[in-house]
Amino acid sequence: MAEACSSQDESGIFLSQILRILREEGAIGTQRNIPVVNFKHPVSLQDILSLDLEERGSGDEKLLSLSREVIQYSVKTNHPNFHNQLYAGVDPYGYAGALITEALNTNQYTFEVAPVFTLTEHAVLKHILKLIGFSDGDGIFSPGGSVSNMYAMVLARHRTAPDIKSSGLFSRPALVAFASQDSHYSALKAAHWLGLGIDNMILVKSDREGRMIPEELRESIVKVQSNGKVPFFVTATAGTTVLGAFDPLEPLADICSEYGLWFHVDACWGGSLILSKRYSPVLNGINRADSVAWNPHKMLGAPLQCSVLLIKEKGLLHNCNSASATYLFQQDKFYDVCYDTGDKSIQCGRKVDAFKLWLMWKARGDEGFQQLVDNAMDCARYFKETITERRGFRLVIPDFQCTNVCFWYIPPSFRNQEETPEWWERMHTVAPRIKEKLILAGTLMIGYAPLKHKGLKNFFRMVTTCQPPPTKSDMDFVIKEIEKYGMNL
Ligand SMILES: *Cc1c(COP(=O)(O)O)cnc(C)c1O
């Protein structure tokens, strides 16, 4: 125990050494000369690191070398060749914001314990609400897009049938929600968790590019009504997870207002395009939504987690979620208690996520974000144009919509053959095999997926984000690596 006392670190020496190691090992900063990942299978990794917890604590020296190993065997999402997910590296100002909020270790629920963070949350929400065109709206930061989507559904349910808050869903006609076939799977989870049941989450047909077909939505609504069920909620996706498709917001908004349904826009992925004058027209009509979910922790590079739900109608969030705990939200406090925002949340303790985004925004301004988003989109365009011209590459859909570029790599031994179902079955194994080689080499991480409802076999999903800012030569590298490891399959 005596040894461990030094790690109380009153002097900050341990912490400053950790920051040094983070830099040396390439966890922060953009280093191209280290691997993206040093992959070990779970059992070998367990053997390399001494992870078992013991009765006696460890000294700082041991902890520092262990921390170095932890970083060495972790994935470097800040590496320019990390394209595995819809997030990548962290914005340096966001990271600084996270250091501040972690050090101050507080909760976002009351002004009492988070005076400045309450006001920065207000400031950042006000700015986002203006951007999406909600003139007198409300908002909340939540632990991720899946939870934001769930918030939207519960708000819609509360507006449709407020008595459910007290009496539950029993003995009433089923409520039914709609999203596209290409929507995020969190729609199904929300339907389960909120007691609708996943059979009452209708996945509406999308077109070839992955966009919900408005006429299909209308037909589904009519059918549900004729079965005696109650349609109440539609999710449009602005930037689908795999293809990056944008559902047509205006026609979907028309249908929602015609049938009196809540119109939610899941812009978790594509919402960042609102920051770009050039690329934001795909979001036209977003101001007609009742709610919008956006994840600044994806394309923009805010530290995980940073996810926001915006609501057009003020007051609903509080009415829907409040439980009025008298030990926390006392109404007889000496300051203006409308600054205690915690009762709007489903959480009690809530991380201070808004501040990280606030600091990034303060540093970069709207203009800085626009440049970063434009650069990510321009690099995706360059990638798409380059592989369009290149032998062995084939696009899944003709154009890119968000920064997703989906494509097959067809190895030379597969070319100039009839593309029978058997040929496609073999093609299905190509992306996973190339990916395995890339990960074992540690040079590149890129995602792949099939789309079963469209009958599409495994293809690569290249994606760019704002952090670290991608370059054209980073794009060329991805193409060459895939050729290098796919050439001889
Ligand atoms: C990533 C994503 C989500 C879920 O967000 P999490 O923060 O990972 O929970 C929801 N919708 C879409 C379209 C997404 O791409």
Side-chain angles (χ1 to χ4, degrees):
M1 205 41 222
E3 225 183 353
C5 284
S6 62
S7 54
Q8 295 265 323
D9 196 33
E10 295 295 347
S11 60
I13 291 172
F14 184 76
L15 192 59
S16 60
Q17 282 171 326
I18 290 286
L19 288 171
R20 177 175 51 80
I21 295 172
L22 279 167
R23 249 191 320 274
E24 284 171 4
E25 297 299 332
I28 49 181
T30 305
Q31 298 185 23
R32 287 180 167 75
N33 57 351
I34 55 162
V36 190
V37 59
N38 183 355
F39 182 85
K40 301 283 174 225
H41 284 281
V43 177
S44 341
L45 191 55
Q46 223 151 13
D47 286 344
I48 296 169
L49 304 169
S50 50
L51 299 177
D52 287 340
L53 299 172
E54 291 138 4
E55 192 161 343
R56 278 185 69 94
S58 304
D60 283 3
E61 207 143 310
K62 173 92 197 296
L63 293 175
L64 288 172
S65 74
L66 195 53
S67 299
R68 190 183 287 279
E69 285 179 323
V70 167
I71 299 164
Q72 282 169 345
Y73 290 103
S74 290
V75 172
K76 308 299 184 300
T77 60
N78 230 13
H79 197 291
N81 303 336
F82 180 85
H83 303 284
N84 210 60
Q85 248 75 41
L86 300 183
Y87 67 90
V90 70
D91 183 295
Y93 293 102
Y95 175 58
L99 287 176
I100 294 173
T101 58
E102 293 297 316
L104 288 167
N105 191 43
T106 195
N107 264 307
Q108 185 75 75
Y109 45 44
T110 63
F111 184 83
E112 200 172 321
V113 292
V116 185
F117 297 137
T118 300
L119 299 183
T120 47
E121 186 175 47
H122 268 255
V124 81
L125 283 173
K126 190 172 107 188
H127 199 73
I128 302 170
L129 286 166
K130 201 170 93 198
L131 270 178
I132 61 170
F134 287 180
S135 54
D136 189 29
D138 200 355
I140 194 160
F141 279 78
S142 87
S146 303
V147 178
S148 295
N149 288 339
M150 206 179 301
Y151 262 103
M153 196 183 277
V154 83
L155 289 169
R157 195 180 73 179
H158 191 67
R159 194 182 68 180
T160 307
D163 57 302
I164 289 177
K165 183 171 178 179
S166 50
S167 55
L169 280 166
F170 308 99
S171 64
R172 54 179 306 127
L175 292 166
V176 178
F178 305 82
S180 90
Q181 291 176 311
D182 286 60
S183 66
H184 190 261
Y185 64 86
S186 55
L188 295 172
K189 297 201 176 198
H192 168 218
W193 270 47
L194 297 181
L196 269 63
I198 55 177
D199 291 348
N200 290 314
M201 180 79 230
I202 309 273
L203 298 182
V204 178
K205 200 160 176 245
S206 57
D207 65 14
R208 194 165 103 81
E209 276 75 28
R211 298 170 298 211
M212 193 196 289
I213 303 168
E215 270 318 302
E216 294 277 342
L217 173 64
R218 183 192 297 280
E219 281 170 28
S220 299
I221 293 169
V222 172
K223 193 165 153 213
V224 162
Q225 281 177 332
S226 69
N227 289 337
K229 296 184 174 185
V230 182
F232 78 112
F233 181 76
V234 174
T235 293
T237 311
T240 59
T241 310
V242 178
L243 295 176
F246 286 80
D247 289 348
L249 301 183
E250 293 281 6
L252 296 178
D254 289 342
I255 293 175
C256 288
S257 57
E258 187 182 331
Y259 291 91
L261 313 184
W262 183 282
F263 184 41
H264 173 60
V265 177
D266 176 356
C268 282
W269 170 231
S272 295
L273 297 194
I274 199 91
L275 297 158
S276 160
K277 287 194 183 71
R278 190 142 41 105
Y279 293 107
S280 59
V282 282
L283 293 165
N284 283 352
I286 198 167
N287 59 318
R288 296 183 59 195
D290 292 294
S291 55
V292 174
W294 174 42
N295 278 359
H297 71 219
K298 283 186 167 168
M299 192 185 297
L300 220 49
L304 280 155
Q305 294 164 327
C306 189
S307 176
V308 64
L309 180 78
L310 296 318
I311 303 107
K312 184 175 272 162
E313 182 183 332
K314 216 176 195 156
L316 190 64
L317 197 55
H318 186 268
N319 291 340
C320 176
N321 291 329
S322 68
S324 311
T326 49
Y327 73 93
L328 186 59
F329 305 114
Q330 302 92 332
Q331 295 302 299
D332 50 3
K333 291 182 184 179
F334 65 95
Y335 62 84
D336 182 351
V337 292
C338 83
Y339 287 89
D340 289 355
T341 53
D343 213 12
K344 294 199 278 194
S345 170
I346 188 65
Q347 299 173 263
C348 173
R350 191 159 61 93
K351 273 185 83 83
V352 179
D353 288 327
F355 181 72
K356 303 177 284 193
L357 181 59
W358 178 87
L359 195 63
M360 286 163 59
W361 221 314
K362 199 72 182 163
R364 304 194 180 280
D366 297 348
E367 283 174 8
F369 276 157
Q370 165 158 284
Q371 274 170 16
L372 288 165
V373 170
D374 283 351
N375 177 60
M377 286 292 280
D378 292 345
C379 284
R381 176 190 303 284
Y382 172 80
F383 185 88
K384 184 221 133 193
E385 282 168 2
T386 310
I387 64 170
T388 307
E389 304 289 312
R390 205 159 173 113
R391 283 199 66 188
F393 288 82
R394 183 187 297 175
L395 292 168
V396 174
I397 49 174
D399 210 354
F400 77 119
Q401 301 167 77
C402 203
T403 66
N404 315 42
V405 181
C406 295
F407 65 94
W408 288 281
Y409 175 71
I410 305 171
S413 71
F414 285 64
R415 295 177 201 163
N416 306 316
Q417 294 173 25
E418 200 191 333
E419 299 182 4
T420 60
E422 294 71 40
W423 185 86
W424 275 109
E425 277 314 318
R426 284 199 294 135
M427 271 298 291
H428 193 54
T429 67
V430 168
R433 279 153 78 200
I434 296 177
K435 169 138 187 179
E436 179 184 355
K437 289 172 192 282
L438 291 168
I439 289 207
L440 294 179
T443 51
L444 169 65
M445 288 182 75
I446 181 171
Y448 72 85
L451 269 187
K452 290 211 178 99
H453 61 273
K454 297 214 178 305
L456 300 175
K457 300 295 176 187
N458 275 327
F459 51 82
F460 284 111
R461 181 196 63 181
M462 172 62 182
V463 76
T464 57
T465 69
C466 296
Q467 294 295 337
T471 64
K472 287 183 179 168
S473 76
D474 293 332
M475 301 298 104
D476 291 335
F477 179 83
V478 172
I479 295 166
K480 288 192 191 122
E481 281 296 290
I482 288 177
E483 285 176 338
K484 179 172 162 191
Y485 291 101
M487 196 61 95
N488 297 317
L489 290 183

